[in-house]
């Protein structure tokens, strides 16, 4: 299940593609919403590792506008619940992700992103 | 005692396509259990298992570390990715799986951010050709074929570990005596200042298996 937390950690790694290679752009996605256990401790611990702008932009593309453009300093419950939903409850089941730089397409099927490259594409 | 993950959902038809947990897997679980307290004390946030196969190892470490850690897995075998996901669901562990090679998908974003890396690699000495074919066919053959000294795949990841580990991070590797463990330890220390220590070793049939734990040279276990 590609969720936005995973998406926020994936960059294109094709040969010689090392600038503007993140975030990958979702295309033709099928979404499913599935509830997950809310864990504020996990979210707070993970927040420093998030690329915030990439997360907010991607969530907006998928129709979720609940996150503020700037990462807030006060982590109240409402914010954490929205963050929880965006990171962990939106599942991309089918579709693909395209590199903004080299346009390499990484397919997603049965919820698993295929990040494998052919031999000649490996950096 | 940390419970062994429930794998009752995996059938022979799955094990025709993916690696069935074996002595190497269980020795790795035992080593993680030996380290359980200092693993918890190191307060990890991100754990990556490379080559997760059935998903047994990540489900086990999640039993030790609990739900406040992000569990990431990669495998080149797409069936293994599916099985890892199913094992996560079966054991109530939230696992994020990517069909990819080694650390490649996360290399850029998780540079120096991973607290625990685990790899039970294809370590069996085979011809180089067999290992290369296994890597490109992405099927069950890739579970063991390791090239002439069994290190073809492992060596690639060893070059990357230092760049991935967080300041307090650690790396667990399964290796075979024939993989030349003194040489692995020496290379990691000299090139990357990563100090390896054997946590457990065991003879299982013809295999003499080792679990090695690597830490940054300026760190000790209880820091
Ligand atoms: C010895 S099995 C271990 C499986 C499982 N971790 C366990 O301990 O039972 C090795 C696993 O590594 C995977 N693998 C082999 N080459 C790989 C690569 N280049 N990148 C990611 N996974 C790989 C295989 O598909 C297989 O699932
Ligand atoms: Zn690219």
């Amino acid at each position: 299940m590609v969720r936005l937390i995973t998406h926020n950690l994936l960059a294109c790694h094709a040969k010689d593609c090392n600038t503007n290679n993140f975030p990958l752009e979702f295309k033709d996605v099928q979404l499913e919403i599935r509830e997950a256990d809310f864990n504020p401790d996990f979210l707070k611990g993970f927040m420093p590792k998030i690329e915030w702008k990439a997360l907010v932009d991607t969530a907006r593309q998928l129709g979720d506008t609940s996150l503020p453009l700037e990462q807030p300093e006060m982590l109240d419950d409402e914010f954490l619940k929205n963050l929880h939903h965006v990171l962990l409850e939106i599942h991309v089941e089918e579709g693909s992700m395209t590199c903004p730089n080299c346009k390499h397409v990484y397919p997603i099927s049965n919820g698993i992103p295929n990040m494998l490259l052919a031999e000649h594409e490996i950096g | 005692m940390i419970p062994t993950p429930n794998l009752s959902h995996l059938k022979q038809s799955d094990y025709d396509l993916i690696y069935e947990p074996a002595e190497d897997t269980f020795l790795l679980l035992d080593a993680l259990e030996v380290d359980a307290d200092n693993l918890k004390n190191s307060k990890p946030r991100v754990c990556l298992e490379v080559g997760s196969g059935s998903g047994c190892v990540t489900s086990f470490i999640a039993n030790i570390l609990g739900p406040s850690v992000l569990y990431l897995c990669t495998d080149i075998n797409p069936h293994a990715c599916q099985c890892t996901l199913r094992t996560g669901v079966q054991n109530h562990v939230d696992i994020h799986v990517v069909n990819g090679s080694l650390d490649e998908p996360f290399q850029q974003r998780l540079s120096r951010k991973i607290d625990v890396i685990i790899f039970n690699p294809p370590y069996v000495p085979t011809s180089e050709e067999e290992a290369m074919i296994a890597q490109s066919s992405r099927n069950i053959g890739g579970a063991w074929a390791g090239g002439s000294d069994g290190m073809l795949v492992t060596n690639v990841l060893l070059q990357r570990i230092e760049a991935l580990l967080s300041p307090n991070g650690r790396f667990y590797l399964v290796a075979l005596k024939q993989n030349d463990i003194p040489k692995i330890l020496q290379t990691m220390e000299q090139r990357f200042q990563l100090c390896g220590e054997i946590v457990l070793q065991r003879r299982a049939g013809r295999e003499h298996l080792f679990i090695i734990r690597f830490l940054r040279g300026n760190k000790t276990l209880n820091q």
Side-chain angles (χ1 to χ4, degrees):
Chain A
M1 298 154 284
V2 194
R3 285 170 276 172
L4 295 198
I5 191 167
T6 319
H7 173 266
N8 200 259
L9 301 176
L10 296 174
C12 180
H13 50 96
K15 198 174 183 167
D16 301 327
C17 184
N18 35 42
T19 51
N20 184 33
N21 57 351
F22 171 87
L24 304 174
E25 290 162 12
F26 280 122
K27 286 233 169 73
D28 305 323
V29 294
Q30 283 174 37
L31 302 181
E32 246 176 63
I33 306 294
R34 276 183 239 153
E35 252 178 65
D37 293 337
F38 178 58
N39 181 349
D41 181 47
F42 170 81
L43 296 168
K44 286 178 195 159
F46 191 71
M47 274 195 50
K49 302 193 169 72
I50 299 176
E51 283 285 344
W52 191 255
K53 184 173 169 0
L55 180 67
V56 174
D57 289 351
T58 306
R60 290 185 180 209
Q61 276 160 27
L62 299 183
D64 189 299
T65 54
S66 63
L67 295 180
L69 287 173
E70 299 289 329
Q71 198 165 332
E73 279 172 21
M74 272 288 296
L75 307 181
D76 59 28
D77 233 35
E78 190 195 335
F79 166 75
L80 287 173
K81 288 217 159 112
N82 290 336
L83 180 63
H84 166 75
H85 178 73
V86 167
L87 284 177
L88 295 165
E89 296 190 323
I90 306 176
H91 295 247
V92 178
E93 290 295 322
E94 303 287 331
S96 66
M97 298 177 294
T98 306
C99 170
N101 182 41
C102 76
K103 308 296 171 198
H104 189 92
V105 177
Y106 296 96
I108 300 166
S109 73
N110 296 312
I112 295 179
N114 178 346
M115 300 296 291
L116 291 163
L117 295 171
E119 202 62 48
H120 66 277
E121 299 163 336
I122 296 171
Chain B
M1 271 290 283
I2 293 139
T4 306
N6 178 346
L7 297 179
S8 61
H9 56 291
L10 297 178
K11 305 292 180 237
Q12 189 52 50
S13 54
D14 295 304
Y15 296 134
D16 292 340
L17 302 172
I18 70 145
Y19 191 77
E20 177 167 5
E23 288 297 335
D24 49 348
T25 317
F26 299 124
L27 186 63
L28 177 55
L29 300 190
D30 290 347
L32 294 173
E33 182 156 7
V34 166
D35 271 5
D37 285 336
N38 65 62
L39 261 168
K40 277 187 266 186
N41 291 338
S42 73
K43 301 213 172 23
R45 288 290 182 182
V46 179
C47 174
L48 170 67
E49 185 186 3
V50 173
S52 57
S54 61
C56 177
V57 178
T58 289
S59 298
F60 185 80
I61 198 172
N63 279 336
I64 298 176
L65 297 174
S68 294
V69 177
L70 177 66
Y71 298 101
L72 301 170
C73 289
T74 65
D75 204 294
I76 48 165
N77 176 345
H79 300 289
C81 295
Q82 291 291 350
C83 290
T84 295
L85 269 189
R86 285 164 58 204
T87 299
V89 172
Q90 179 86 357
N91 292 278
H92 311 289
V93 176
D94 203 2
I95 307 181
H96 302 258
V97 187
V98 173
N99 187 198
S101 184
L102 304 176
D103 63 321
E104 281 174 5
F106 301 118
Q107 219 170 66
Q108 179 173 327
R109 278 284 288 114
L110 287 179
S111 155
R112 294 194 167 250
K113 292 191 173 67
I114 310 183
D115 303 302
V116 183
I117 304 175
I118 304 173
F119 192 26
N120 178 5
Y123 53 65
V124 179
T126 61
S127 72
E128 292 287 299
E129 194 192 358
E130 180 178 345
M132 292 197 329
I133 292 172
Q135 284 290 302
S136 55
S137 356
R138 293 150 184 178
N139 57 23
I140 189 164
W144 58 79
S148 63
D149 53 1
M151 290 293 288
L152 185 81
V153 181
T154 308
N155 274 336
V156 181
L157 190 71
L158 290 182
Q159 306 296 315
R160 307 217 181 116
I161 293 296
E162 197 278 327
L164 296 169
L165 282 181
S166 65
N168 210 6
R170 56 172 77 196
F171 168 48
Y172 290 94
L173 176 70
V174 180
L176 207 56
K177 193 172 180 126
Q178 292 95 302
N179 299 151
D180 193 350
I181 287 160
K183 186 171 157 201
I184 299 175
L185 295 178
Q186 197 191 9
T187 315
M188 293 299 275
E189 171 134 24
Q190 287 180 352
R191 286 204 48 194
F192 302 109
Q193 285 77 53
L194 292 172
C195 296
E197 200 180 320
I198 293 162
V199 186
L200 282 180
Q201 53 175 304
R202 186 176 293 163
R203 276 173 222 276
R206 277 173 304 151
E207 293 190 334
H208 188 175
L209 292 159
F210 293 80
I211 310 298
I212 314 170
R213 176 205 327 102
F214 292 91
L215 301 173
R216 289 190 184 276
N218 57 352
K219 298 286 173 181
T220 56
L221 252 198
N222 299 314
Q223 249 176 327

